[in-house]
């Protein structure tokens, strides 16, 4: 058996057990596995791990520092929690969880589901029960999206309940960003097709109008050409948003604070009645991205913020680092956005301004999503709007 690999030997052992082959043959394979320090424990055929020299893996350590939050319950009371579960709930002291009814940390709407599932885990032969996504409540009151599996835990003659909890908040946030990016991509592809089809005949019309200008003089021709230019410009902007990679701009490392400073300088003529407050923290942090596209996105956000302020007002721009992301906040004291219009933000040709095309915010949402980021928008009528951007920080 010396030429057989460990994996081949394990496969042969499992097959021999399942096929009920000669017991002596099974014993020979088992003896060879043990000689190779491959440990076999528990019920017949349960292959657990390979020994590290003479030392076995510390299973207590595996549970204690598992990436899953693990709880053991006795009549709904928590009698054990691992470090991940302790941190997940934002606890500071053991007595905040040990001996406490687990329902204190479960959303009230889910109690009925848990009671039903717990009743199914009545003996040690019960299979683990996978639950649908639930919510747990941290010590600070924050709700967390989780997926929970319920399984029996036998201790002596008593069957306890084991909960295995996985935080799905990050995954759901990623799915939301992906969904938004897919929607923008679909809209962009459709818009690009329309823009191509419309721009070409408009350009032709403009050319013939200019030819007519040389033959016939009329003041209306100037107006026609001007309006055609505006239409073609809008279509070009739409194409740029739909396919921003046409310029093949390379990604570079960017410190955002100097870029924001230079952008603010461009609006000096509009800042006589508007106070700009900069709260720039963690200025050494960088992102990786297409500088011109991001510059254009921030330009559009600042422009929109200033235009939303009637008379005197304030614009606050924040920059800080948290949990692997650089956070940017553009908070204005403008007129605000009606709640029913919030879901439409970023859609081509939708604008809250009477003379707007909506292309500016479409470019902002598209660019931020293409850089792996996300945008949260909050607004109150008469009080202003805040755009909160999250962009992945570049590891130094």
């Amino acid at each position: 058996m010396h030429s057989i690999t460990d994996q081949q030997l394990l496969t042969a052992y499992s097959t021999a057990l399942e096929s009920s082959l000669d017991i002596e043959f099974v014993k020979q394979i088992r003896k060879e596995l043990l000689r190779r320090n491959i440990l076999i424990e528990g019920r017949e055929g349960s292959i657990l791990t390979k020994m590290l020299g003479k030392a076995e893996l510390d299973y207590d350590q595996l549970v204690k520092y598992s990436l899953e939050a693990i709880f053991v319950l006795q009549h709904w009371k928590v009698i054990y929690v691992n470090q991940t579960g302790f941190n997940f709930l934002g606890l500071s002291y053991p007595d905040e969880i040990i001996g406490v009814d687990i329902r204190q940390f479960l959303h009230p709407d889910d109690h009925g589901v848990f009671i039903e599932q717990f009743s199914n885990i009545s003996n040690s032969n019960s299979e683990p029960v996978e639950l649908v996504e639930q919510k747990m409540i941290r010590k600070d009151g924050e709700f967390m999206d989780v997926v929970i599996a319920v399984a029996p835990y036998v201790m002596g003659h008593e069957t306890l309940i084991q909960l295995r909890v996985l935080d799905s908040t990050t995954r759901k946030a990623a799915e939301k960003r992906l969904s938004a990016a897919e929607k923008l991509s679909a809209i962009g592809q459709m818009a690009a097709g329309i823009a191509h089809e419309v721009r070409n005949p408009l350009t032709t019309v403009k050319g013939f109008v200019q030819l007519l200008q040389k033959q016939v003089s009329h003041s209306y021709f100037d107006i026609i050409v001007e309006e055609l230019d505006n239409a073609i410009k809008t279509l070009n902007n739409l194409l740029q948003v739909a396919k921003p990679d046409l310029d093949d701009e390379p990604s570079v490392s960017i410190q955002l604070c100097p870029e924001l400073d230079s952008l603010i300088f461009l609006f000096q003529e509009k800042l006589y009645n508007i106070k700009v407050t900069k709260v720039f923290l963690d200025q050494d942090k960088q992102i990786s991205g297409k500088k011109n596209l991001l510059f254009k996105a921030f330009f559009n956000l600042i422009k929109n913020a200033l235009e939303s302020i009637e008379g005197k007002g304030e614009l606050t721009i924040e920059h800080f680092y948290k949990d692997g992301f650089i956070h940017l906040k553009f908070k204005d004291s403008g007129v605000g956005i009606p709640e029913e219009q919030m879901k439409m933000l970023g859609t081509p040709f939708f604008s809250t301004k009477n003379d707007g095309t909506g292309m500016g915010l479409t470019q902002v949402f598209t660019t931020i999503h293409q850089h792996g980021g996300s945008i949260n928008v909050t607004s109150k009528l008469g009080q202003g709007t805040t755009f909160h951007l999250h962009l992945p920080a570049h590891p130094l």
Side-chain angles (χ1 to χ4, degrees):
M1 294 188 189
H2 294 290
S3 60
I4 300 177
T5 66
D6 290 352
Q7 186 58 52
Q8 290 173 328
L9 199 60
L10 286 167
T11 301
Y13 184 68
S14 297
T15 303
L17 286 174
E18 292 171 1
S19 306
S20 301
L21 296 183
D22 183 79
I23 190 64
E24 290 301 321
F25 176 67
V26 174
K27 286 181 178 178
Q28 287 297 322
I29 299 179
R30 182 185 179 90
K31 183 178 179 181
E32 177 63 19
L33 285 169
L34 293 174
R35 188 189 70 79
R36 298 187 184 189
N37 288 332
I38 298 176
L39 187 63
I40 305 169
E41 295 180 353
R43 64 181 178 83
E44 187 70 14
S46 177
I47 302 168
L48 297 182
T49 186
K50 183 178 176 69
M51 296 175 65
L52 305 175
K54 294 184 179 181
E56 299 178 16
L57 291 175
D58 185 343
Y59 296 103
D60 288 337
Q61 229 186 121
L62 286 175
V63 172
K64 182 178 180 181
Y65 299 109
S66 169
L67 297 179
E68 292 181 325
I70 299 175
F71 302 84
V72 179
L73 314 178
Q74 183 181 40
H75 307 302
W76 291 95
K77 300 289 181 66
V78 179
I79 62 173
Y80 172 82
V81 59
N82 69 347
Q83 190 66 46
T84 301
F86 192 81
N87 296 338
F88 175 70
L89 294 177
L91 304 174
S92 303
Y93 305 102
D95 59 3
E96 292 176 317
I97 183 69
I98 300 301
V100 175
D101 192 315
I102 190 65
R103 285 171 288 194
Q104 179 177 322
F105 299 98
L106 302 176
H107 194 285
D109 293 346
D110 299 330
H111 288 185
V113 177
F114 275 93
I115 291 172
E116 179 183 347
Q117 298 293 353
F118 280 21
S119 66
N120 296 331
I121 309 295
S122 57
N123 58 71
S124 58
N125 294 322
S126 299
E127 294 293 327
V129 179
E130 292 286 345
L131 297 183
V132 295
E133 289 193 345
Q134 309 288 323
K135 288 187 182 293
M136 293 192 76
I137 309 171
R138 286 169 48 91
K139 177 186 174 183
D140 58 11
E142 180 184 355
F143 289 102
M144 305 293 289
D145 294 308
V146 297
V147 176
I148 301 179
V150 183
Y153 184 90
V154 179
M155 188 172 70
H157 299 291
E158 185 176 6
T159 300
L160 307 175
I161 299 294
Q162 176 191 173
L163 298 184
R164 295 192 347 262
V165 181
L166 276 174
D167 180 7
S168 61
T169 305
T170 303
R171 175 181 59 80
K172 291 185 75 172
E175 289 175 349
K176 184 178 179 180
R177 289 197 299 270
L178 179 61
S179 175
E182 288 174 344
K183 289 177 182 177
L184 284 171
S185 176
I187 292 171
Q189 290 176 12
M190 180 179 66
I194 295 171
H196 275 298
E197 293 299 321
V198 175
R199 184 182 61 172
N200 291 340
L202 284 182
T203 303
T204 302
V205 170
K206 177 186 171 183
F208 279 111
V209 170
Q210 289 173 326
L211 286 175
L212 284 174
Q213 276 184 297
K214 295 181 179 180
Q215 300 176 17
V216 182
S217 177
H218 200 292
S219 60
Y220 288 171
F221 284 134
D222 290 334
I223 298 173
I224 293 171
V225 171
E226 183 181 353
E227 291 303 316
L228 285 170
D229 282 338
N230 289 335
I232 293 170
K233 181 180 179 182
T234 298
L235 292 170
N236 286 333
N237 286 337
L238 178 57
L239 283 170
Q240 173 61 25
V241 170
K243 294 185 176 181
D245 289 330
L246 289 176
D247 55 1
D248 293 325
E249 182 184 355
S251 291
V252 295
S253 295
I254 310 168
Q255 285 185 325
L256 295 179
C257 292
E259 301 301 327
L260 293 170
D261 272 328
S262 63
L263 275 173
I264 295 169
F265 182 78
L266 297 178
F267 293 93
Q268 287 300 311
E269 75 281 359
K270 295 185 178 182
L271 300 182
Y272 293 111
N273 295 321
I274 299 174
K275 177 185 177 183
V276 175
T277 301
K278 297 180 294 183
V279 184
F280 290 171
L281 305 176
D282 308 309
Q283 297 189 36
D284 59 319
K285 297 294 184 179
Q286 299 180 349
I287 68 166
S288 177
K290 297 186 175 184
K291 188 173 181 178
N292 291 328
L293 281 178
L294 288 166
F295 195 89
K296 184 177 179 181
F298 301 149
F299 177 90
N300 284 326
L301 285 175
I302 295 174
K303 178 175 178 288
N304 286 348
L306 296 177
E307 290 177 348
S308 74
I309 299 173
E310 298 176 348
K312 292 185 177 181
E314 184 174 1
L315 169 62
T316 301
I317 303 176
E318 296 182 42
H319 174 287
F320 61 93
Y321 172 85
K322 183 180 179 183
D323 299 331
F325 285 83
I326 288 179
H327 296 249
L328 292 174
K329 288 187 178 182
F330 297 82
K331 181 180 180 181
D332 65 63
S333 60
V335 295
I337 303 170
E339 184 177 351
E340 64 272 14
Q341 296 182 0
M342 292 288 285
K343 292 182 180 179
M344 296 295 293
L345 294 179
T347 304
F349 304 118
F350 173 80
S351 176
T352 59
K353 295 180 288 187
N354 292 332
D355 58 348
T357 64
M359 299 311 302
L361 276 184
T362 302
Q363 189 272 337
V364 171
F365 277 80
T366 301
T367 297
I368 298 306
H369 283 296
Q370 286 180 340
H371 284 78
S374 60
I375 304 178
N376 295 325
V377 186
T378 56
S379 186
K380 288 187 179 180
L381 285 177
Q383 297 183 32
T385 303
T386 299
F387 281 80
H388 185 174
L389 281 57
H390 309 71
L391 286 165
H394 192 300
L396 298 177

